[in-house]
Amino acid sequence: MIRKWIIEKYSQRLQFLRLAYGNTDPRTLISIGILGRMCMEHGDHQSAETLLKECFEVREATLGFNDPDTLLSMHDLGVLYTKQGKFELAEPLLKDSYELREHVLGKHHHGSLTSLYSLGSIYIYRGKYKLAESVLKECLELTETVLGKRHLH
């Protein structure tokens, strides 16, 4: 119940930002992405898809394909498609988001590692177990390099 209230309040905030600053303003785009992720976690995948697609498309058009915020939006949309069982749509987005994040941010960046983990997960869902094992082992090794072997995560 509290989540629904938060989503309603955040939707009101987004309406204000759209009116005050427009759809391409960074503050508006951040709010679109956050609301999309909130809807996804709440199980409202239809609203989440609308918001996350909009966020990705506008960021790609205004910031470019290699911008870290665009890559975050690409990753979020891939995660949503995974949750929806739309694996054929999720896989290319997650693969591209990982490869581009690795190039733009570096392979040890938390965004790159998150995308690598999501890519390994989609390979499991698609039955590509050997590929998933390879990707997830690489993710574990890179994560241990960054955080250390004793880190709780």
Side-chain angles (χ1 to χ4, degrees):
M1 179 136 150
I2 214 142
R3 285 185 189 168
K4 188 175 182 179
W5 179 82
I6 292 169
I7 288 173
E8 287 174 11
K9 292 298 176 190
Y10 216 85
S11 295
Q12 292 171 0
R13 172 185 161 74
L14 178 57
Q15 287 176 335
F16 167 78
L17 291 170
R18 287 184 193 273
L19 288 172
Y21 303 110
N23 290 331
T24 61
D25 185 84
R27 291 167 285 202
T28 305
L29 291 170
I30 288 168
S31 292
I32 292 170
I34 290 171
L35 185 58
R37 287 189 295 279
M38 288 169 55
C39 289
M40 176 173 43
E41 294 306 319
H42 189 64
D44 183 359
H45 291 168
Q46 184 176 353
S47 295
E49 185 172 359
T50 300
L51 290 162
L52 294 176
K53 269 184 169 179
E54 177 187 2
C55 192
F56 174 58
E57 290 168 0
V58 172
R59 281 180 167 163
E60 184 179 13
T62 58
L63 302 174
F65 200 65
N66 290 327
D67 183 85
D69 289 333
T70 303
L71 300 177
L72 170 63
S73 296
M74 180 189 296
H75 176 263
D76 289 344
L77 192 54
V79 170
L80 173 66
Y81 286 147
T82 301
K83 288 182 180 241
Q84 291 175 316
K86 297 178 180 178
F87 305 130
E88 69 286 345
L89 296 175
E91 185 176 338
L93 286 171
L94 293 173
K95 186 172 189 219
D96 288 350
S97 73
Y98 168 65
E99 290 173 353
L100 290 165
R101 278 177 148 183
E102 180 186 33
H103 176 74
V104 172
L105 303 172
K107 69 180 181 178
H108 294 102
H109 188 275
H110 67 87
S112 302
L113 295 173
T114 301
S115 288
L116 185 59
Y117 178 81
S118 296
L119 182 60
S121 297
I122 195 71
Y123 288 150
I124 290 172
Y125 289 123
R126 301 218 55 197
K128 300 177 180 181
Y129 300 116
K130 292 233 184 242
L131 191 52
E133 181 180 15
S134 172
V135 166
L136 292 173
K137 276 185 180 177
E138 180 184 357
C139 185
L140 178 61
E141 290 168 5
L142 289 169
T143 301
E144 286 178 346
T145 299
V146 173
L147 300 176
K149 289 188 178 194
R150 295 180 157 227
H151 194 276
L152 297 176
H153 300 296

